[in-house]
Amino acid sequence: MALRQWIDGDESAAEMLTRVLKERTSLLVPPLHRVPLHVGNVVELVGPSGSAKTQILIQAAVNCILPKEWNGIRYGGLECSVVFIDLDCRLDISRLSQVLKLRILEGNGNGDWGNFDALYTTCLRRFFYIRCYDSFEFLATLKTMHHKLQKERDDLGIGLRLLMIDSIGAYHWVDRVSSSLPLWGYNRKGFSLANMLEAAVEEIKKLLLVHPSIVIASKATIFGDRSSDIVRREKSSSETESRHGKSDGGQVLYREYMPSAWQSFVTHRVFVRGSDEYLTVSSCEHQSIYFSEWLLPSLGVLDKFIVKNAGIFMVP
């Protein structure tokens, strides 16, 4: 709604609801289902390796690229585009394909897959996968993404809804070591870890102005004991520490290592981790149980979920 329209006249309740519902994205993916997310939100999915962070991203992506309805069958998707920027180059595309196919078959009552090749292809056209191998490629990708997204929006008639980054801290240690390397030219801004993340954040902000969407970024944790000299040294260099409650009432300490430019950019944070618990599906099948908890905003609720072939499911 243009500024002049807002000044010149009031907005009716019906018009307001229509506008808000269009701007709200309902991902309905555990653990993201707990908090309504809106365009412009930046969600950080933080947890150790093997905590199903990428699986959550895949499930959210499938929900986004699926249509609301296709040939009279309701799939409940958002029918929008997804950009997946893979910074550690470990995404298994076949896993995305598997979840998408099973969701389509599930919507069709597990009918004949051959009749839905067109739907499968249409959904994949909405998924843009980009691999980056260092911070410079990441920045170059962000700077050039607008023109590609604009072209796709003109061709397909749909806009970007999810910008995914897996994993945002992939180059942290490499950039820290490289921060002392000289650059050509005396007028260029010095290379540093903070400068690279600050530039990336600014590019994402510019992108969101033209292509309003939700940003979901996974981030690996660094754990440590408070009594450790390494933890004290990292803390003294402006790296903060955060606590996460375990289901047994204990406390797991992990360190925040991202620069302040990124930390202040994040609007929501979810902690995920694996566990030693299993869900018995059958006499010969056991599913690992994962835990998730919202830290920003703090909800004080510990969710349990499992990862199956068809996606992520909550555990009572």
Side-chain angles (χ1 to χ4, degrees):
M1 185 170 58
L3 180 61
R4 174 59 58 184
Q5 291 176 312
W6 183 81
I7 294 175
D8 290 344
D10 293 330
E11 184 180 21
S12 69
E15 292 170 338
M16 183 273 290
L17 286 174
T18 300
R19 176 173 57 82
V20 170
L21 289 174
K22 286 182 179 179
E23 294 175 353
R24 173 177 293 187
T25 298
S26 179
L27 295 174
L28 300 177
V29 179
L32 304 179
H33 68 297
R34 284 286 183 186
V35 176
L37 298 175
H38 306 264
V39 294
N41 290 156
V42 180
V43 183
E44 187 179 76
L45 195 61
V46 57
S49 177
S51 56
K53 297 187 296 297
T54 302
Q55 297 297 327
I56 295 172
L57 296 183
I58 289 175
Q59 182 76 7
V62 169
N63 280 15
C64 192
I65 62 179
L66 276 169
K68 298 182 181 69
E69 187 176 302
W70 179 275
N71 290 343
I73 299 175
R74 180 168 178 78
Y75 293 94
L78 299 175
E79 207 165 330
C80 293
S81 295
V82 175
V83 170
F84 193 109
I85 304 178
D86 190 0
L87 299 187
D88 57 9
C89 305
R90 296 166 64 181
L91 177 68
D92 183 2
I93 294 295
S94 65
R95 173 59 180 157
L96 174 84
S97 175
Q98 179 189 41
V99 175
L100 177 60
K101 288 180 179 180
L102 289 175
R103 284 289 302 276
I104 293 175
L105 287 174
E106 182 183 75
N108 188 40
N110 295 319
D112 183 12
W113 161 246
N115 295 327
F116 287 87
D117 285 340
L119 173 56
Y120 175 75
T121 302
T122 300
C123 290
L124 287 184
R125 287 191 63 188
R126 302 184 183 120
F127 184 81
F128 304 99
Y129 177 63
I130 304 170
R131 279 188 172 184
C132 299
Y133 294 92
D134 55 46
S135 292
F136 292 104
E137 285 193 12
F138 181 38
L139 276 178
T141 296
L142 294 174
K143 286 179 176 292
T144 58
M145 192 181 299
H146 164 67
H147 301 288
K148 178 175 179 59
L149 291 176
Q150 187 63 49
K151 181 179 184 302
E152 293 296 334
R153 183 161 63 181
D154 294 340
D155 293 344
L156 300 178
I158 57 175
L160 176 68
R161 187 54 62 93
L162 283 180
L163 172 60
M164 296 182 164
I165 304 172
D166 187 23
S167 104
I168 189 62
Y171 311 133
H172 175 80
W173 303 110
V174 174
D175 289 349
R176 285 189 63 169
V177 172
S178 305
S179 60
S180 59
L181 297 178
L183 293 176
W184 295 278
Y186 296 99
N187 296 325
R188 293 186 61 182
K189 190 174 183 180
F191 174 86
S192 72
L193 175 64
N195 288 342
M196 294 299 292
L197 262 298
E198 183 179 350
V201 167
E202 290 304 313
E203 290 301 326
I204 295 174
K205 287 180 179 178
K206 294 177 184 177
L207 191 68
L208 295 182
L209 289 176
V210 183
H211 304 277
S213 56
I214 294 175
V215 180
I216 306 179
S218 68
K219 184 184 73 177
T221 51
I222 297 178
F223 291 96
D225 187 349
R226 184 176 290 275
S227 63
S228 168
D229 291 337
I230 295 178
V231 173
R232 286 200 295 268
R233 182 167 64 251
E234 295 297 333
K235 186 179 179 182
S236 65
S237 63
S238 77
E239 292 188 355
T240 59
E241 300 172 347
S242 303
R243 283 190 178 273
H244 172 70
K246 292 176 63 177
S247 59
D248 59 4
Q251 293 290 328
V252 174
L253 186 68
Y254 70 89
R255 303 203 305 269
E256 176 58 73
Y257 55 91
M258 297 295 286
S260 58
W262 174 258
Q263 293 184 47
S264 60
F265 186 45
V266 173
T267 62
H268 297 71
R269 181 174 291 110
V270 186
F271 189 93
V272 292
R273 65 178 178 87
S275 74
D276 296 329
E277 299 183 26
Y278 293 89
L279 178 68
T280 301
V281 180
S282 65
S283 58
C284 58
E285 183 180 1
H286 305 277
Q287 294 284 345
S288 297
I289 294 178
Y290 299 87
F291 292 98
S292 66
E293 183 178 356
W294 278 84
L295 303 182
L296 182 66
S298 179
L299 301 183
V301 177
L302 196 67
D303 286 320
K304 296 182 180 182
F305 64 92
I306 59 173
V307 178
K308 301 180 68 175
N309 288 337
I312 295 174
F313 299 88
M314 294 293 295
V315 175

